Amino acid sequence: MELFLNVLVLLVLIGLSIILNRFIPFVPVPLIQIGLGIGIAYWPAGIHLPLNPELFFVLFIAPLLFNDGKRMPREQLWNLRLPIILLALGLVFVTVFIMGYIIHWMIPAIPLSAAFALAAILSPTDAVAVGALAGRSSLPNSLMHLLEGEALMNDASGLVAFKFAVAATVTGVFSLLQAASSFTVIALGGLASGVILSYVLIRLRMFIRRSGMEDVTMHMLILLLTPFIVYMCAEEIGVSGILAVVAGGITHAIERDHSESTMAKLQVVSASTWSVVLFILNGIVFLILGLQIPAVTSVIFRDAAVSNTQVMLYIAIISLCLLFLRFLWNFVLLKEKWIAEENSTTLPHMHSVILITIAGVRGTLTLAGAFSIPFVLQDGSPFPERSLIIFLAAGVILFTLIAASILLPLLAAKHESTHSADQSSIEFQARRKIIGTVISTLKEEMSYENKTATLSILSRYEKILHQTLQEEPAALKPCGQETGL
């Protein structure tokens, strides 16, 4: 009963956050949800939900990243492969190395290997937070695709580096060659397992359809279970479950494109169902982050051996160093042609670099990783400064979230004419797709009994589709074609 009440309270808080955002639109929904989570944790009769990292990854991260992989444009992902690799691999490992030494130098009580662990868990950006904050700031599409691609890929590199740093702290042994080879196996194995498992599940659905079972509910259930199956199977065989669900999402997107004209009703139900599921999961993720903060802060604030002012200063310095390192990396290596917008005014290189720097927010994935740090070392002694490490991770998360919430709307360039043209193109594409889906569904559902009525409705919708195509925005027409001809 207690678990049911906890879930019910979380769902109510998600709805309340949307209502509050209606009255204070300048405060992003994620920050409102974090605030509500903190408030309900301090409330005497509130809920207390311990964060289980393994359960968190499979229950929240898996479906969210699966959906991100499914909706990420493959062409843009491929075109941006080099900058994404530079950010998701190069920047992560550079951050771990440099920030590890900075943290150890600044806080000698944290051993170097533990400092590397903290730097590793702070290195990946959070896909959920990036989408929630960057999307509301009207960032150019090219920057959004780069940020989303980075967030999809850098989770695995950051978590693998974190895993080896923690293992080195616990056992006192570290091998660079073993770490590099293990990372290669884990990353490539995760991508391969995601593609293979998704392909098997897609073939299973096709076999069920060929057997005459067209029940949309059953097919939708298989789709909902897919990210959990892919993640758990990948983790079970010792490869990256995060990269597996990303690859699985991309594989399902390719399959959806090839079979878009078939089983149109499933496409409609799938879009509606996933929108509700993702809305709830996104909200719960930020509420859980807020719920954990009071417990994390109370341990440090009650510790007489630690100066609260000094710890807050550590958080500010670490956060600013992370942002400066990210800025420097992008300023030196990011090419302007990679983030150039087609048919629009390209943002100045410095402006783009600043936006990408500020948008590199950390989220609940970082806190979940920090909570997975073991309590004791191999010899039975306590893990050095575990509570302080978790507190620093939570502080950096809040620092980057608040900084992005304030600065991104101010810095994001809004070219009104280009935005209007893009909006009109998006609306046209959506209208055409909806009408096409309706026509496909009517044809699929047509039977001998309803043939006359269905043909009449089909004729009406085909006229609407023809009128819609006549209203096609000029930007989408082939070169030389004039409107109305």
Side-chain angles (χ1 to χ4, degrees):
M1 188 65 179
E2 183 182 357
L3 178 61
F4 171 76
L5 290 176
N6 288 345
V7 173
L8 190 62
V9 170
L10 291 177
L11 294 176
V12 171
L13 291 177
I14 292 172
L16 180 60
S17 68
I18 303 301
I19 295 173
L20 291 175
N21 181 251
R22 181 72 176 82
F23 293 99
I24 45 174
F26 53 89
V27 180
V29 174
L31 284 184
I32 295 176
Q33 291 167 342
I34 291 173
L36 290 174
I38 295 173
I40 202 70
Y42 276 121
W43 188 35
I47 63 177
H48 303 280
L49 198 65
L51 181 59
N52 183 323
E54 292 184 3
L55 179 61
F56 179 82
F57 284 134
V58 69
L59 190 58
F60 296 100
I61 300 301
L64 289 172
L65 290 185
F66 177 82
N67 177 73
D68 287 339
K70 194 167 62 169
R71 68 180 179 81
M72 178 72 181
R74 273 89 59 205
E75 184 179 351
Q76 284 83 350
L77 190 64
W78 177 253
N79 292 338
L80 292 169
R81 62 191 180 279
L82 184 55
I84 287 174
I85 290 173
L86 287 174
L87 287 170
L89 294 181
L91 180 57
V92 165
F93 294 134
V94 168
T95 300
V96 172
F97 183 77
I98 295 177
M99 291 302 303
Y101 279 106
I102 291 176
I103 292 170
H104 176 63
W105 170 79
M106 187 170 57
I107 315 173
I110 300 180
L112 184 59
S113 57
F116 282 141
L118 174 56
I121 205 59
L122 290 175
S123 60
T125 54
D126 189 278
V128 179
V130 167
L133 293 178
R136 71 182 280 271
S137 302
S138 301
L139 291 181
N141 289 334
S142 56
L143 293 189
M144 278 300 300
H145 294 152
L146 178 59
L147 291 168
E148 290 171 344
E150 176 201 6
L152 287 177
M153 301 299 174
N154 65 10
D155 292 340
S157 54
L159 288 175
V160 170
F162 170 75
K163 172 186 172 183
F164 281 102
V166 170
T169 307
V170 172
T171 63
V173 178
F174 176 75
S175 169
L176 181 60
L177 180 61
Q178 180 186 1
S181 59
S182 296
F183 172 76
T184 304
V185 172
I186 289 171
L188 295 180
L191 292 171
S193 63
V195 172
I196 293 170
L197 289 169
S198 295
Y199 180 77
V200 170
L201 291 171
I202 289 169
R203 301 303 296 180
L204 172 64
R205 286 174 43 219
M206 293 177 65
F207 172 76
I208 292 173
R209 288 197 63 196
R210 284 198 299 268
S211 300
M213 289 179 277
E214 297 277 355
D215 184 65
V216 172
T217 305
M218 181 187 61
H219 286 274
M220 192 63 236
L221 179 61
I222 296 174
L223 277 175
L224 287 174
L225 291 176
T226 294
F228 305 110
I229 295 172
V230 170
Y231 181 90
M232 295 176 70
C233 290
E235 289 290 322
E236 189 66 26
I237 62 177
V239 296
S240 173
I242 288 178
L243 285 179
V245 292
V246 171
I250 295 173
T251 304
H252 272 75
I254 295 172
E255 179 271 339
R256 180 193 59 201
D257 292 345
H258 290 163
S259 62
E260 191 170 359
S261 60
T262 62
M263 208 170 182
K265 186 187 293 186
L266 177 62
Q267 304 292 337
V268 176
V269 174
S270 175
S272 303
T273 304
W274 273 107
S275 65
V276 174
V277 170
L278 296 170
F279 171 76
I280 293 173
L281 291 180
N282 271 296
I284 292 179
V285 161
F286 289 108
L287 286 171
I288 288 177
L289 174 56
L291 283 168
Q292 306 309 312
I293 288 176
V296 171
T297 56
S298 62
V299 174
I300 298 299
F301 287 160
R302 288 200 306 261
D303 191 348
V306 180
S307 168
N308 296 337
T309 305
Q310 195 172 19
V311 173
M312 300 305 290
L313 185 61
Y314 290 155
I315 291 174
I317 293 173
I318 292 172
S319 302
L320 291 173
C321 285
L322 286 169
L323 290 174
F324 176 74
L325 191 58
R326 183 177 176 85
F327 169 82
L328 197 62
W329 182 269
N330 285 301
F331 181 76
V332 173
L333 296 178
L334 191 67
K335 306 295 184 184
E336 195 166 350
K337 63 180 181 180
W338 290 339
I339 49 177
E341 290 280 308
E342 294 184 4
N343 303 321
S344 66
T345 304
T346 303
L347 290 176
H349 182 257
M350 179 62 75
H351 196 170
S352 298
V353 168
I354 293 174
L355 287 176
I356 294 173
T357 300
I358 299 299
V361 295
R362 276 65 180 177
T364 319
L365 181 73
T366 293
L367 193 62
F371 270 104
S372 69
I373 295 175
F375 286 92
V376 296
L377 303 179
Q378 197 173 45
D379 59 4
S381 59
F383 193 98
E385 303 296 340
R386 182 180 185 272
S387 297
L388 178 59
I389 289 173
I390 296 175
F391 181 83
L392 292 174
V396 171
I397 292 170
L398 288 179
F399 187 100
T400 56
L401 278 172
I402 294 172
S405 301
I406 296 172
L407 297 177
L408 275 181
L410 299 176
L411 296 174
K414 296 183 179 180
H415 303 285
E416 295 298 334
S417 58
T418 302
H419 178 73
S420 299
D422 289 345
Q423 187 66 26
S424 127
S425 297
I426 292 170
E427 290 175 358
F428 169 78
Q429 296 282 15
R431 193 162 62 247
R432 186 173 66 177
K433 188 170 183 178
I434 291 171
I435 296 171
T437 301
V438 171
I439 291 173
S440 299
T441 305
L442 286 171
K443 290 179 179 177
E444 186 177 305
E445 298 296 324
M446 186 167 58
S447 62
Y448 178 78
E449 290 81 7
N450 63 16
K451 186 175 181 180
T452 304
T454 303
L455 288 174
S456 173
I457 298 173
L458 270 174
S459 174
R460 190 182 311 163
Y461 272 98
E462 283 170 353
K463 289 179 181 178
I464 295 174
L465 179 60
H466 178 72
Q467 292 172 356
T468 301
L469 293 174
Q470 294 285 49
E471 298 169 3
E472 180 180 2
L476 296 179
K477 291 181 179 293
C479 184
Q481 181 179 337
E482 298 295 332
T483 305
L485 295 181

